[in-house]
């Protein structure tokens, strides 16, 4: 036992959770408290939701490419039923449900759970040399609360009136007067918020308290820093959305008027006459509360992706990251600034000049750390010895894709240019470039990179290439045309854009987007095959197949319960590659200085001396 | 192979606190954001409204003051419970923990009376030109329902939410005392057809009541959650005292931190809702 | 420029403030493209020059790059210039320096959005808006005016005179809508409970735009039934029985009979021009009819505008 280990000795009295030692399937794989199992649970569930959200969008793309024409397959129309697709043509209300749920599912049930729940859970404790997360039971609860939230969201499709249909932003009064699905959405969100709250407390405590001896904050891999900042964003930005959700639930269930101003007239009848509502609320209050969360949420989506890319770039250039400290400071600054830019989503709501000046200034300021992070990553390529492994390809693709996403944010952050582009397809193109070819590419990179750690096997390179190249090209042919559609003035969330002459003008682009999206689905087949086939039949590799320096590679693959055969001790920074005067081209964080200089850095970790 | 979580009881040498305490502080930070957002919403709605009723003219200040005293006392007993553990006096801990729970329950009982008063306080809008309106001398009167009879003559004992619940019956309505007096006027008979609208003082009444019920309700849920946790550590959870007293003391400390926070929220709610 | 050419960059612009909006968008994109190309070239160069190959070793220590710092400072400076030089002052002028109340030539209009229609409310000859109340709303008096004969109200058709400042008080009476005229770079949310003034000034009349635009070929299909906007036929179409369905130059609205007739005559595409090529779109998701919430914009000459108001008053 390692009870005598300097790290574990004083406090480590309780071997956590009775469930841990048990071997029954239920406790080992379903209600597991092991961060690795929970990470995999998050990952698989998140990938399923990602695919489901993508399916919703593919349905929408049919209506956008071929407005008011019946779906191509009769069985599909039959599956959707006569209410959702009368005569095989998607109904406008159902289209809005698809739109709202696509956004909600992709952000809250797909990308964040994979980026934070899966990668954060699996990798962070390994990278800091901890046996598990600080609160394993909370960790398990966090997953199951998330799972319940997801089930509620899915179930809402089947309630009368269907799922929420007021966009993922749920602006009132529209969402207030919407059908029952909106209440389900709000309850689902309360679950998801609770889950991320439990998760974020756990992450912060784990990273602050449980680092291996010698692992100072500035020896942490950048991925851990990114997760730490992300956890703070989740911890502090989500509660205002929870508050907003509570207020909207009050409005919908108890008939209050938090978001309903006086004097509403719905369907030409005074709303007070039909509902007896009191009025006196503010429609914009929701937007303030919502965007106070949802802007930091953007960085929740992107920071873990940057962390993954940083790990992979350092490993595959075989040299230290350029400007590690600068990256860390930029990430912290980014996190801080993300709390004071929210109203740039609301430039068109009639805010005063002082407000708009403040928010466009902070928005320009927040672009600087993003530029710094990107520049650091690109400069890191200089002087390297670049391996074009599959994870590296995805990580490299992330850089220009994120650059496009970030740069197209500039005209939206300035009120004057936002005037023409606000609420158009330009916005859709902008944030999808950040999240889809950006974050999702980084998530793929992470899957290919850490797959050997999780399974002890590598994913196939050929299938990897078959996945990467079409995905990269198609992602661009989906989202690039959107900038031009937005430039033409085409507004988002249009059921049938051919109503407008400018919509008809860009209809060919819409067709291109739709076909690219459907082909993108086909392009994921190699990934799905690769993902499942390699689990059992992939090439077996050793514990450190990428010859990486960070601590997760010091553990066996897959890591056993408790992670490390011996708790590692850290002697140096995270990216000590190609250190001059050494025979190997990498020097793991846990390798003892003398053994490293002897040129055996890839030897198994030496047990801590006692 | 080790699965022991370091620093789960002993304080971390650098941060100076064990894991759970850091965790509870982070949780409270998030709670501050939650209530902060709600208070901000309150301010925004209040400053944006044309008129805002003074809480003290509507709400029951003596009851709220009583509740403030109860909650502050419970914070003191909470500290005593933790201190008893520190001094290794488990019996005293049980006493103070029980007292804390009783005080918390007392708070909820007082709250229930306060809510009940609001939910059984009604506003009647009379039909213009009706006989009842002439008798009452005003179109809108507030007061409480003494008893109600349905159209078929049967007494209505359930809670009346709107005119529809009367089933074309009538109510015996006792109006509120006029300003400067404590004498209730005599009850008047009001038939369903005399009334344009009958409504109680619930959250839908206006944004003031919406804010009042939402904020105090959410606070009440926090108190209830606290009661559950306190009960757990008083009964089944206290077994840990025999196996791992240090960890148990730590848990009580974290519970206490939460309890003080709930107390603190009330300290903000009381003046902003009732007094200002 | 041909206003119907969409999808390349900007559509045509017929407002006085539009050019400054377009200019800023252009400048920001110059900056973005310069940065992107710079990064891209550098990245590609690195990928080729520093690829892993036998005999090549990575460098642990790097020469100090000053270039990146200069580039970052330059980006910050350019952003500062765009912010202080364009966005803040021009925004302030187009949004908040409303034409003075005594400006003699300004036109004040109220725009009220609802699911899913736009109402444009013009004061009568007295220059005053009638008091309105929701209790009076009925089909013949959609805004609930005290005396509907004293003001002009137009549904889904927005007329205003060219070369005069137009002040529009934008509001909504149910959910949030978005008041958006892409060809005039005008956009503002219509928020219930708020009555927000915006202003703009057009530089071309509807007739000028109509003359400049080229015809579009419209796909004939059942989706056209129920479209309210008037078109002008650019070609003659004969029905299956040889009678005239449409003559070139006809103004028409797609109805069930016409679409049936066209389909019956085997017409798949029809060459038309929108009678009012400038469109007002709803920019905020407002419910199931969001994409159909469209209004025609007619930029009139003084005479046309006077005639329009007179026509609405007569009703």
């Amino acid at each position: 036992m390692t009870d005598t280990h300097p790290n574990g000795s004083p406090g480590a009295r309780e071997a956590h959770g009775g469930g841990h030692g048990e071997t029954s399937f239920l406790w080992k794989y379903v209600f597991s408290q092991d961060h690795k199992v929970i990470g995999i649970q998050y990952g698989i569930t998140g990938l399923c939701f990602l695919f489901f959200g993508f399916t919703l969008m593919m349905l929408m793309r049919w209506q956008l490419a071929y407005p008011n024409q019946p779906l191509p397959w009769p069985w599909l129309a039959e599956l959707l039923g006569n209410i959702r697709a009368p005569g095989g043509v998607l109904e406008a209300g159902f289209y809005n449900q698809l739109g709202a749920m696509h956004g909600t599912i992709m952000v809250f049930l797909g990308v964040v759970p994979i980026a934070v729940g899966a990668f954060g859970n699996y990798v962070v404790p390994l990278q800091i040399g901890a046996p598990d997360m600080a609160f394993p039971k909370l960790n398990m609860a966090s997953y199951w609360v998330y799972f319940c939230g997801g089930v509620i969201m899915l179930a809402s499709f089947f309630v009368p009136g269907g799922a929420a249909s007021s966009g993922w932003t749920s602006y009132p009064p529209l969402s207030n007067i919407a059908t029952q699905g909106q209440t389900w959405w709000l309850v689902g969100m309360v679950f998801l918020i609770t889950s991320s709250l439990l998760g974020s407390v756990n992450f912060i405590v784990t990273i602050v308290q449980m680092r291996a001896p010698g692992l100072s904050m500035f020896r942490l891999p950048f991925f851990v820093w990114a997760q730490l900042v992300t956890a703070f964003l989740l911890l502090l930005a989500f509660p205002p959305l929870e508050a907003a959700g509570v207020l909207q639930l009050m409005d919908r269930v108890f008939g209050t008027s938090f978001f309903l101003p006086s004097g509403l007239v719905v369907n030409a009848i005074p709303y007070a006459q039909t509902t007896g509502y009191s009025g006196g609320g503010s429609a914009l209050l929701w937007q303030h509360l919502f965007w106070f969360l949802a802007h930091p949420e953007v960085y929740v989506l992107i920071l873990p992706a940057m962390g993954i890319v940083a790990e992979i770039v350092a490993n595959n250039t075989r040299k230290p990251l350029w400007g590690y400290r600068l990256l860390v400071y930029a990430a912290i600054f980014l996190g801080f600034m993300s709390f004071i830019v929210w109203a740039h989503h609301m430039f068109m709501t009639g805010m005063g000049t002082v407000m708009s000046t403040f928010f466009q200034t902070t928005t320009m300021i927040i672009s600087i750390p993003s530029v710094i992070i990107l520049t650091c990553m690109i400069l890191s390529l200089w002087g390297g010895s670049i391996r074009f492994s599959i994870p590296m390809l995805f990580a490299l693709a992330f850089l220009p894709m994120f650059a496009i996403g970030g740069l197209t944010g500039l005209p939206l952050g300035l009120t004057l240019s936002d005037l023409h582009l606000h609420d158009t397809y330009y916005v859709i193109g902008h944030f999808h470039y950040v999240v889809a070819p950006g974050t999702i590419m980084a998530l793929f990179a992470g899957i290919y990179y850490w797959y050997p750690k999780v399974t002890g096997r590598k994913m196939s390179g050929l299938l990897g290439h078959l996945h990467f190249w079409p995905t990269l090209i198609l992602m661009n042919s989906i989202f690039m045309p959107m900038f031009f559609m937005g430039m033409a003035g085409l507004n988002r969330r249009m059921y049938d854009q051919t109503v407008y002459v400018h919509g008809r003008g860009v209809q060919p682009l819409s067709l291109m987007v739709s076909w690219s999206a459907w082909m993108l689905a086909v392009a994921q087949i190699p990934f799905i095959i690769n993902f499942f086939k390699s689990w059992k039949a992939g090439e077996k590799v050793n514990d450190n197949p990428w010859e990486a320096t960070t601590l997760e590679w010091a553990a066996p693959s897959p890591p056993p319960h408790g992670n490390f055969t011996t708790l590692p001790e850290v002697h140096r920074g995270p990216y000590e590659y190609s250190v001059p005067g050494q025979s190997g081209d990498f020097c793991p964080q846990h390798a003892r200085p003398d053994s490293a200089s002897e040129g055996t850095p890839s030897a198994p970790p030496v047990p801590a001396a006692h | 192979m080790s699965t022991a979580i370091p620093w789960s009881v002993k304080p971390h040498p650098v941060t100076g606190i064990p894991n759970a305490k850091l965790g509870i502080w982070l949780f409270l930070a998030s709670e501050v954001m939650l209530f902060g957002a709600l208070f901000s919403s309150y301010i925004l709605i209040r400053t944006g409204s044309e008129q805002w009723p003074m809480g003290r003219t509507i709400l029951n200040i003596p009851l709220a003051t009583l509740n403030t005293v109860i909650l502050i006392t419970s914070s003191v007993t909470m500290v005593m419970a933790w201190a008893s553990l520190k001094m290794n006096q488990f019996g005293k801990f049980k006493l103070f923990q029980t007292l804390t729970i009783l005080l918390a329950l007392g708070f909820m009982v007082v709250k229930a009376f306060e809510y009940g008063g609001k939910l059984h306080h009604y506003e009647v809008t009379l039909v213009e030109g009706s006989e009842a309106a002439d008798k009452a001398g005003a179109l809108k009167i507030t007061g409480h329902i003494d008893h109600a009879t349905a159209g078929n003559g049967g007494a209505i004992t359930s809670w009346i939410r709107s005119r529809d619940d009367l089933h074309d019956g009538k109510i015996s309505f006792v109006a509120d005392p006029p300003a400067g007096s404590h004498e209730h006027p005599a009850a008047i008979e009001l038939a369903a057809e005399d009334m344009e609208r009958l409504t109680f003082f619930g959250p839908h009444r206006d944004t003031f009541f919406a804010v009042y019920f939402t904020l105090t309700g959410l606070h009440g849920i926090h108190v209830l959650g606290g009661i559950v946790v306190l009960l757990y550590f008083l009964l089944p959870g206290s077994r840990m005292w025999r196996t791992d007293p240090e960890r148990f003391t730590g848990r009580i400390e974290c519970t206490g931190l939460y309890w003080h926070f709930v107390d603190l929220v009330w300290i903000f709610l009381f003046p902003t809702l009732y007094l200002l | 420029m041909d206003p119907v050419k969409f999808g390349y960059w900007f559509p045509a612009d017929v407002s006085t403030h539009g050019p400054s909006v377009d200019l800023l968008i252009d400048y920001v994109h110059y900056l973005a493209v310069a940065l992107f190309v710079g990064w891209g070239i550098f990245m590609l160069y690195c990928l080729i020059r520093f690829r892993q190959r036998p005999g090549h070793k990575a460098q642990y220590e790097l020469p100090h790059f000053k270039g990146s710092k200069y580039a970052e400072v330059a980006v910050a400076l350019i952003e500062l210039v765009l912010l202080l030089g364009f966005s803040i002052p021009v925004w302030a002028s187009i949004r908040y320096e409303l034409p003075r109340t005594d400006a003699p030539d300004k036109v004040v209009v109220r725009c009220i959005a609802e699911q899913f229609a736009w109402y444009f409310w013009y004061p009568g000859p007295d220059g005053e808006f009638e008091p309105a109340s929701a209790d009076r709303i009925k089909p013949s008096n959609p805004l609930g005016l005290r005396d509907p004969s004293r003001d002009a109200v137009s549904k889904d058709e927005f007329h205003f005179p060219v070369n005069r400042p137009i002040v529009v008080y934008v509001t909504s009476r149910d959910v949030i809508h978005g008041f958006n005229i892409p060809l005039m770079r005008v956009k503002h949310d219509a928020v219930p409970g708020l009555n927000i003034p915006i202003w703009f000034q057009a530089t071309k009349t509807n007739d000028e735009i109509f003359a400049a635009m080229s015809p579009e070929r419209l796909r004939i299909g059942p989706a056209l039934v129920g479209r309210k906007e008037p078109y002008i036929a650019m070609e003659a179409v004969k029905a299956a029985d040889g009678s005239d369905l449409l003559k070139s130059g006809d103004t028409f609205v797609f109805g069930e009979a016409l679409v049936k007739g066209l389909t019956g005559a085997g017409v798949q595409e029809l060459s038309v021009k929108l009678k009012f090529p400038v469109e007002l779109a709803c920019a905020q998701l407002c419910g199931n009819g969001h994409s159909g919430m469209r209004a025609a914009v007619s930029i009139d000459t003084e005479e046309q505008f006077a005639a329009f108001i007179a026509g609405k008053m007569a009703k």
Side-chain angles (χ1 to χ4, degrees):
Chain A
M1 276 305 281
T2 50
D3 255 1
T4 49
H5 191 278
N7 188 26
S9 56
R13 277 202 210 151
E14 188 197 40
H16 57 77
H20 248 99
E22 291 188 29
T23 45
S24 86
F25 179 83
L26 189 70
W27 291 106
K28 205 168 168 191
Y29 295 109
V30 183
F31 296 108
S32 171
Q33 295 174 23
D34 186 320
H35 73 101
K36 297 181 293 297
V37 179
I38 296 171
I40 294 169
Q41 286 174 329
Y42 259 117
I44 305 274
T45 320
L47 280 171
C48 289
F49 274 118
L50 209 59
F51 188 74
F52 181 68
F54 183 43
T55 312
L56 299 185
M57 190 275 289
M58 286 195 286
L59 265 178
M60 295 166 75
R61 287 302 332 169
W62 175 264
Q63 165 65 20
L64 290 171
Y66 303 104
N68 307 310
Q69 290 183 38
L71 290 162
W73 300 304
W75 62 264
L76 188 56
E78 209 155 293
L79 184 75
L80 294 175
N82 219 21
I83 297 172
R84 299 184 190 92
V89 179
L90 287 189
E91 193 258 336
F94 182 56
Y95 174 87
N96 285 343
Q97 290 172 36
L98 291 176
M101 296 310 282
H102 165 74
T104 308
I105 287 173
M106 286 310 217
V107 171
F108 295 109
L109 291 165
V111 173
V112 174
I114 296 176
V116 180
F119 285 116
N121 247 318
Y122 200 98
V123 177
V124 165
L126 285 169
Q127 279 196 335
I128 65 172
D132 205 318
M133 296 286 271
F135 309 113
K137 283 192 189 106
L138 278 191
N139 205 10
M140 177 190 77
S142 156
Y143 170 75
W144 285 106
V145 172
Y146 152 73
F147 188 84
C148 291
V151 170
I152 290 172
M153 289 286 185
L154 289 184
S156 74
F157 273 104
F158 302 100
V159 302
S165 59
S166 312
W168 81 287
T169 49
S170 280
Y171 279 5
L174 182 63
S175 52
N176 269 29
I177 63 175
T179 54
Q180 196 190 338
Q182 181 65 25
T183 308
W184 286 66
W185 186 88
L186 289 166
V187 174
M189 284 308 293
V190 170
F191 273 81
L192 297 178
I193 292 167
T194 309
S195 157
S196 78
L197 171 67
L198 297 177
S200 58
V201 168
N202 218 340
F203 275 111
I204 298 172
V205 174
T206 307
I207 296 170
V208 170
Q209 301 269 90
M210 291 171 54
R211 281 164 288 125
L215 188 57
S216 61
M217 290 306 271
F218 278 107
R219 281 179 176 177
L220 284 177
F222 182 66
F223 177 76
V224 179
W225 268 109
Q227 289 285 348
L228 182 64
V229 176
T230 304
F232 269 105
L233 296 184
L234 286 173
L235 182 78
L236 301 177
F238 252 131
L241 181 67
E242 186 150 29
V246 167
L247 297 184
Q248 202 178 83
L249 272 176
M250 289 296 289
D251 275 8
R252 292 182 56 91
V253 180
F254 293 101
T256 57
S257 301
F258 284 111
F259 301 124
L260 298 176
S262 310
L264 289 187
V265 179
V266 179
N267 295 326
I269 304 166
Y271 196 56
Q273 240 173 53
T274 47
T275 62
Y277 92 116
S278 69
S282 156
L284 294 183
L285 173 61
W286 168 272
Q287 296 189 21
H288 281 293
L289 292 172
F290 181 85
W291 287 115
F292 189 86
L293 151 90
H295 200 82
E297 179 77 15
V298 173
Y299 294 92
V300 169
L301 295 168
I302 197 69
L303 275 171
M306 288 170 166
I308 294 170
V309 170
E311 296 302 300
I312 294 170
V313 163
N315 175 259
N316 286 281
T317 53
R318 316 304 298 162
K319 56 176 282 298
L321 277 183
W322 193 89
Y324 165 78
R325 274 185 185 240
L326 198 58
L327 276 171
V328 171
Y329 292 138
I332 294 172
F333 187 60
L334 207 60
F336 171 74
M337 287 301 291
S338 71
F339 281 100
I340 49 171
V341 296
W342 80 90
H344 68 209
H345 297 270
M346 300 167 60
F347 282 149
M348 298 301 142
T349 55
M351 63 171 68
T353 29
V354 178
M355 279 261 278
S356 71
T357 302
F358 174 79
F359 281 106
Q360 55 183 323
T361 309
T362 53
T363 305
M364 289 302 113
I365 292 173
I366 204 171
S367 70
I368 304 293
S370 313
V371 168
I372 289 175
I373 289 178
L374 201 58
T375 310
C376 283
M377 302 244 195
I378 292 177
L379 283 179
S380 296
L381 301 175
W382 185 274
S385 170
I386 301 171
R387 296 170 172 176
F388 292 100
S389 61
I390 301 293
M392 184 60 167
L393 289 179
F394 278 96
L396 286 173
F398 167 87
L399 300 175
M401 296 298 105
F402 172 67
I404 296 177
L407 290 170
T408 50
L410 290 177
L412 298 170
L414 295 165
T415 41
L416 185 60
S417 39
D418 187 43
L419 182 59
H420 182 53
L421 302 173
H422 189 86
D423 268 327
T424 64
Y425 267 85
Y426 193 93
V427 180
I428 312 262
H430 153 67
F431 70 74
H432 276 93
Y433 255 102
V434 175
V435 179
T439 300
I440 292 183
M441 287 299 240
L443 295 181
F444 279 134
I447 292 173
Y448 285 98
Y449 182 65
W450 279 303
Y451 196 88
K453 181 50 53 189
V454 179
T455 62
R457 292 166 191 273
K458 238 180 183 167
M459 289 171 85
S460 148
L462 175 68
L463 287 172
H465 278 282
L466 281 178
H467 177 214
F468 172 73
W469 294 103
T471 301
L472 178 65
I473 294 164
L474 290 168
M475 287 271 198
N476 281 286
S477 64
I478 291 173
F479 298 115
M480 190 56 83
M482 291 189 179
F483 294 128
F484 293 87
M485 292 158 83
M487 229 24 136
L490 182 63
N491 287 312
R492 60 191 290 200
R493 293 170 169 173
M494 286 282 173
Y495 168 66
D496 178 5
Q497 63 196 42
T498 60
V499 168
Y500 294 93
V501 65
H502 59 271
R504 292 192 289 273
V506 295
Q507 187 60 18
L509 292 177
S510 187
L511 215 61
M512 172 179 169
V513 172
S514 288
W515 277 101
S516 305
W518 299 325
M519 288 189 324
L520 182 66
V522 177
Q524 302 315 302
I525 292 174
F527 170 74
I528 296 169
I529 295 173
N530 205 351
F531 187 84
F532 288 107
K533 213 186 108 205
S534 308
W535 202 281
K536 288 273 174 261
E539 177 200 343
K540 271 198 174 168
V541 288
N542 66 7
D543 290 347
N544 189 1
W546 308 112
E547 302 177 302
T549 50
T550 42
L551 284 184
E552 75 268 35
W553 305 104
S557 298
H561 190 62
N563 292 344
F564 296 92
T565 32
T566 346
L567 277 181
E569 228 174 302
V570 172
H571 302 283
R572 58 185 66 74
Y575 308 115
E576 293 297 289
Y577 290 101
S578 303
V579 181
Q582 284 193 358
S583 54
D585 73 344
F586 71 112
C587 192
Q589 285 190 280
H590 60 278
R592 281 152 55 97
D594 49 340
S595 71
S597 60
E598 283 158 18
T600 52
S602 54
V606 182
H610 292 296
Chain B
M1 155 160 87
S2 159
T3 56
I5 305 292
W7 317 119
S8 58
V9 176
K10 294 278 184 213
H12 187 281
V14 177
T15 58
I17 46 176
N19 293 344
K21 204 163 163 186
L22 179 60
I24 200 82
W25 277 116
L26 290 168
F27 171 68
L28 293 183
S30 144
E31 290 279 274
V32 166
M33 292 301 287
L34 175 67
F35 280 98
L38 288 170
F39 273 107
S40 314
S41 307
Y42 169 33
I43 293 169
L44 217 118
I45 286 183
R46 183 165 176 168
T47 51
S49 67
E50 283 156 23
Q51 50 169 13
W52 193 262
M54 280 298 178
R56 60 172 173 270
T57 60
I58 304 173
L59 300 175
N60 195 328
I61 294 190
L63 279 188
T65 315
L66 174 64
N67 251 350
T68 312
V69 174
I70 289 178
L71 215 51
I72 291 176
T73 317
S74 80
S75 258
V76 175
T77 55
M78 185 74 233
V79 175
M80 304 286 274
W82 171 69
S84 311
L85 286 183
K86 276 281 186 195
M87 292 182 295
N88 223 352
Q89 294 165 318
F90 189 62
K92 267 181 135 184
F93 157 76
K94 285 230 157 187
L95 172 71
F96 283 119
Q97 185 89 340
T98 313
L99 269 179
T100 312
I101 293 169
L102 288 177
L103 286 166
L105 285 172
F107 177 89
M108 293 309 288
V109 169
V110 172
K111 197 87 237 166
F113 273 107
E114 215 190 310
Y115 271 23
K118 293 288 162 280
L119 300 182
H120 287 100
H121 191 208
Y122 289 87
E123 183 187 72
V124 184
T125 313
L126 296 166
V127 174
E128 225 171 327
S130 69
E131 206 177 310
D134 289 344
K135 240 194 291 177
L139 273 185
K140 277 189 181 189
I141 41 176
T142 57
H144 60 269
I145 297 173
D146 191 56
H147 58 269
T149 335
N152 58 16
I156 302 173
T157 47
S158 60
W159 178 42
I160 295 164
R161 279 162 302 177
S162 72
R163 209 187 56 164
D164 298 342
D165 292 345
L166 293 181
H167 306 291
D168 292 326
K170 56 187 182 200
I171 49 172
S172 166
F173 193 77
V174 183
D176 288 335
S181 151
H182 291 287
E183 292 275 316
H184 284 280
I188 47 171
E189 292 271 305
L190 293 176
E193 63 261 24
D194 294 335
M195 292 180 259
E196 182 96 28
R197 189 160 174 247
L198 174 68
T199 171
F200 62 95
F201 282 68
H204 63 284
R205 155 82 199 169
D206 56 25
T207 35
F208 173 80
F209 278 98
V211 168
Y212 164 76
F213 276 105
T214 309
L215 283 177
T216 55
L218 198 66
H219 177 259
I221 290 173
H222 278 77
V223 174
L224 277 180
I227 292 174
V228 171
V229 174
L230 288 167
L231 267 177
Y232 174 78
F233 286 128
L234 178 68
L235 301 168
S238 65
R239 267 177 309 192
M240 189 191 270
W241 172 253
R242 267 169 286 158
T243 55
D244 195 347
E246 203 177 353
R247 180 184 293 267
F248 184 69
T249 312
R251 291 191 167 178
I252 295 301
E253 191 184 1
C254 289
T255 315
L257 284 172
Y258 170 79
W259 193 250
H260 300 324
F261 173 80
V262 173
D263 192 5
L264 192 71
V265 170
W266 179 257
I267 303 283
F268 276 95
L269 281 177
F270 178 52
T272 48
L273 282 178
Y274 291 80
L275 302 181
L276 292 174
Chain C
M1 204 206 286
D2 182 349
V4 188
K5 283 267 176 270
F6 292 105
Y8 299 91
W9 201 237
F10 296 115
D13 167 57
V14 291
S15 69
T16 50
H17 70 272
S20 59
V21 177
D22 295 359
L23 195 67
L24 178 64
I25 296 181
D26 275 340
Y27 282 170
V28 176
H29 281 88
Y30 293 151
L31 169 70
V33 168
L35 268 175
F36 186 76
V37 169
W39 274 334
I41 291 174
F42 180 82
M43 191 173 151
L44 282 177
Y45 176 78
C46 287
L47 293 185
I48 295 164
R49 179 171 159 195
F50 299 109
R51 70 189 184 281
Q52 193 180 48
R53 56 193 184 274
H56 174 73
K57 243 185 98 62
Q59 293 162 262
Y60 178 76
E61 295 262 22
L62 282 186
H64 248 304
F65 279 110
K66 282 248 171 76
S68 73
K69 245 173 228 146
Y70 292 138
E72 275 152 18
V73 171
V75 170
L77 281 179
I78 295 171
E79 282 181 1
L80 198 69
V81 170
L82 293 178
L83 189 65
L84 296 179
F86 287 86
S87 193
I88 292 173
V90 183
W91 173 261
S93 80
I94 63 169
R95 204 51 124 202
Y96 296 100
E97 288 169 21
L98 292 172
R100 284 163 18 122
T101 42
D102 54 355
D105 60 340
K106 72 168 181 179
V107 178
V108 180
V109 189
R110 288 192 182 173
C111 170
I112 295 160
E114 70 163 21
Q115 288 177 326
F116 301 95
W118 298 97
Y119 290 102
F120 302 94
W121 175 13
Y122 306 80
D126 56 356
E128 302 277 330
F129 288 99
E130 275 290 289
S133 158
D135 299 327
R136 283 191 289 260
I137 292 175
K138 54 183 176 226
S140 62
N141 185 9
L143 298 184
L145 305 187
R146 191 178 58 191
D147 181 356
S149 68
R150 292 169 65 91
D151 283 355
V153 175
S154 161
K155 185 184 178 189
D156 288 337
E157 212 174 288
F158 182 22
H159 286 250
F160 55 86
V162 72
N163 291 331
R164 275 168 68 177
I166 316 295
V167 181
V168 187
Y169 285 82
V170 183
T171 189
S172 159
R173 62 188 193 196
D174 41 36
V175 304
I176 298 177
H177 300 274
F179 180 96
N180 175 213
I181 309 176
L183 291 196
M184 296 194 64
R185 314 292 186 261
V186 169
K187 187 174 287 169
H188 203 281
D189 285 356
V191 185
L194 300 178
N195 207 11
I196 303 157
I198 59 172
W199 78 274
F200 48 86
Q201 184 167 339
T203 55
K204 281 201 177 84
T205 63
N206 189 51
D207 297 342
E208 287 168 316
I209 302 164
F210 184 85
M213 76 191 266
S214 42
E216 58 170 323
R217 298 197 58 84
L218 211 55
R219 266 184 63 100
I220 303 302
L224 289 176
V225 178
R227 294 273 175 87
K228 293 162 295 191
E229 63 272 22
Y231 287 91
I232 291 177
M234 301 310 287
E235 59 184 340
V237 184
K238 286 209 187 298
D241 59 7
S243 61
D244 277 343
L245 257 182
L246 285 172
K247 286 198 285 277
S248 183
D250 270 2
T251 305
F252 67 94
V253 175
F254 283 105
E256 204 163 329
L258 180 62
V259 173
K260 219 176 238 171
L262 287 168
T263 324
V267 179
Q268 287 187 333
E269 281 190 336
L270 184 66
S271 185
V272 294
K273 276 189 182 184
L274 261 180
K275 188 176 176 203
F276 301 112
V278 182
E279 303 179 298
L280 191 149
C282 181
Q284 279 284 6
L285 179 65
C286 59
N288 296 355
H290 166 57
S291 73
M293 190 166 159
R294 173 192 187 281
V297 175
S298 177
I299 308 169
D300 294 347
T301 60
E302 291 298 330
E303 298 74 44
Q304 286 169 331
F305 183 63
F308 164 76
I309 294 289
K312 285 287 170 192
M313 297 294 299
K315 270 183 192 167

